[in-house]
């Protein structure tokens, strides 16, 4: 098994950034950065200078229940309105301001509302570059995010941004609904905001992202599936792995993934919580369901460290990480 460590050296040289206004990389030895889970499939990756977001969704609206999970039963003290598929989607601006103060890049794996609902507001607020499918970018265009902030990708691209590099990987969403899930629909051009949940929910294709940052490689998935041939040759030391129950519809999901990635040093489960519940609600049913995933990873890759993230808590990676 390849020997990996979370104490790799940082990239040695500063390079000119590819996007105007982007700050140059830090020369600090050790190359430490921090990951923070934003709930659902959302993550922040930051070295204190550059902020990269993945599927940032902090509004936690009380919307349609995700299939295959214990439904969230709204208690009397939870006064959030109930959203249906034909409801106009309204982001929680206070939550965005509290949890997403800034961003330089936003990576979106697919266009379901629990991945993209907050992205237009975040892009308008931070002026971040948004990288995603045509479907994703059409949602942002509906909210008048400037075209110069939109970078449409299809999967297969490998881009250099100076501070970090990004390989865009074709992927699959998940089986959902006991293998009956299928969607070739994308969010169309020419939509006008505000959009309903149904309008911003076409998957539009699913991507994974390999982020090379300060000498580390972080592989991020936004769903519970992958294309095995597309991960061949990748050797990330940090992997954000979709861990919801629909993964059980995939043959040897965790084993094939760990072997295909040459047994990464660190796995962080993602997209396992019930995203219709507020942040302060109990996630005990989801935590209980997560335990089988943790056991799968331990069995497939005994030397891999697994951290179950907590909302917004820092997970350091680099020379200072233990």
């Amino acid at each position: 098994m390849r020997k990996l460590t979370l104490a790799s050296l940082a990239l040695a040289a500063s390079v000119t950034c590819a996007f105007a206004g982007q700050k140059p990389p830090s020369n600090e030895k050790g190359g430490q950065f921090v990951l923070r889970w934003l709930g659902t499939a959302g993550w922040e990756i930051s070295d204190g200078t550059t902020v990269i977001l993945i599927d940032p969704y902090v509004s936690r609206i009380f919307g349609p229940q995700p299939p295959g999970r214990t439904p969230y039963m709204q208690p009397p003290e939870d006064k959030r309105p109930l959203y249906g598929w034909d409801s106009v989607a309204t982001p929680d601006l206070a939550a965005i301001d509290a949890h997403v103060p800034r961003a330089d890049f936003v990576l979106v794996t697919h266009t379901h509302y629990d991945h993209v609902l907050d992205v237009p507001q975040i892009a308008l607020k931070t002026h971040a570059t948004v990288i995603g499918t045509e479907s994703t970018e059409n949602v942002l265009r509906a909210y008048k995010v400037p075209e110069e902030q939109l970078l449409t990708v299809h999967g297969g691209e490998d881009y250099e941004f100076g501070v970090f590099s990004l390989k865009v990987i074709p992927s699959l969403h998940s089986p959902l609904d006991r293998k009956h899930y299928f969607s070739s629909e994308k969010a169309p051009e020419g939509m006008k905001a505000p959009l309903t949940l149904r309008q911003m929910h076409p998957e539009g294709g699913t991507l994974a992202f390999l982020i090379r940052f300060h000498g580390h490689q972080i592989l991020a998935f936004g769903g519970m599936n992958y294309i095995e041939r597309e991960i061949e040759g990748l050797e990330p030391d940090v992997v954000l792995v979709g861990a919801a129950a629909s993964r059980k519809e995939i043959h040897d999901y965790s084993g094939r993934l760990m072997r295909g990635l040459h047994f990464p040093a660190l796995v962080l489960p993602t997209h396992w919580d019930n995203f219709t519940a507020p942040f302060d609600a109990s996630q005990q049913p989801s935590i209980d369901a997560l335990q089988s995933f943790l056991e799968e990873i331990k069995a497939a890759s005994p030397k891999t460290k697994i951290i179950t993230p907590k909302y917004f808590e820092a997970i350091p990676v680099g020379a200072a990480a233990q």
Side-chain angles (χ1 to χ4, degrees):
M1 183 176 71
R2 184 171 60 95
K3 301 290 186 181
L4 292 173
T5 176
L6 296 181
S8 302
L9 294 175
L11 294 175
S14 296
V15 293
T16 302
C17 298
F19 281 77
Q22 175 65 28
K23 297 180 178 65
S26 169
N27 288 324
E28 179 186 358
K29 291 183 179 180
Q32 184 181 4
F33 59 91
V34 169
L35 294 100
R36 288 186 175 89
W37 186 41
L38 306 179
T40 320
W43 290 84
E44 176 193 272
I45 304 172
S46 176
D47 61 359
T49 301
T50 299
V51 178
I52 304 166
L53 302 180
I54 304 167
D55 290 349
Y57 172 63
V58 296
S59 287
R60 308 290 286 200
I61 65 171
F62 186 31
Q65 294 291 312
R69 308 190 196 187
T70 302
Y72 170 68
M73 306 304 293
Q74 189 176 32
E77 62 270 19
D78 183 356
K79 304 300 184 183
R80 297 174 303 150
L82 175 62
Y83 285 85
W85 287 114
D86 294 317
S87 301
V88 170
T90 304
D92 185 335
L93 301 185
I96 292 173
D97 287 342
H99 299 302
V100 188
R102 57 179 294 259
D104 298 298
F105 293 85
V106 179
L107 316 180
V108 182
T109 62
H110 61 280
T111 320
H112 284 166
Y113 83 83
D114 52 307
H115 298 250
V116 79
L117 173 63
D118 291 351
V119 175
Q121 177 62 28
I122 290 170
L124 292 169
K125 169 187 171 179
T126 66
H127 309 290
T129 297
V130 180
I131 301 174
T133 64
E134 184 179 358
S135 183
T136 291
E137 309 297 18
N138 285 341
V139 170
L140 272 73
R141 291 183 179 105
Y143 285 89
K144 300 187 182 304
V145 175
E147 196 66 32
E148 57 267 25
Q149 288 180 238
L150 306 181
L151 184 57
T152 303
V153 291
H154 301 275
E157 298 88 350
D158 202 335
Y159 290 142
E160 176 62 52
F161 294 109
V163 178
F164 72 102
S165 65
L166 179 70
K167 183 177 181 65
V168 185
I169 301 167
S171 193
L172 297 171
H173 181 273
S174 74
L176 278 177
D177 298 324
R178 293 172 295 180
K179 301 186 184 68
H180 291 181
Y181 174 72
F182 175 78
S183 175
S184 60
E185 185 181 7
K186 71 176 183 180
E189 298 179 16
M191 297 187 298
K192 303 296 182 183
L195 304 181
T196 66
L197 290 182
R198 192 182 308 277
Q199 285 178 294
M200 64 169 52
H201 202 66
E203 178 199 328
T206 291
L207 305 170
F209 297 105
L210 182 71
I211 303 157
R212 309 179 189 95
F213 193 42
H214 288 298
H216 295 273
Q217 296 189 32
I218 307 106
L219 178 59
F221 294 101
M224 274 56 70
N225 207 348
Y226 51 88
I227 301 174
E228 195 163 8
R229 66 176 179 272
E230 296 291 345
I231 66 171
E232 290 180 1
L234 302 183
E235 295 191 356
D237 46 336
V238 181
V239 188
L240 314 179
V241 182
S246 62
R247 77 183 189 282
K248 295 180 180 180
E249 299 289 329
I250 304 298
H251 169 66
D252 194 17
Y253 173 85
S254 298
R256 289 191 299 115
L257 184 61
M258 292 297 97
R259 293 190 295 272
L261 297 176
H262 299 92
F263 310 103
L266 176 62
V267 162
L268 301 171
T270 189
H271 214 337
W272 54 268
D273 60 332
N274 188 327
F275 53 80
T276 64
F279 284 119
D280 58 359
S282 172
Q283 288 284 346
Q284 195 59 49
S286 296
I287 292 171
D288 292 343
L290 180 65
Q291 300 312 303
S292 61
F293 171 80
L294 304 181
E295 292 302 321
E296 291 167 15
I297 298 296
K298 290 176 184 177
S301 187
K303 294 185 179 181
T304 293
K305 183 177 181 179
I306 311 167
I307 298 176
T308 299
K310 298 179 180 179
Y311 298 135
F312 310 114
E313 285 193 359
I315 301 172
V317 176
Q322 299 296 324

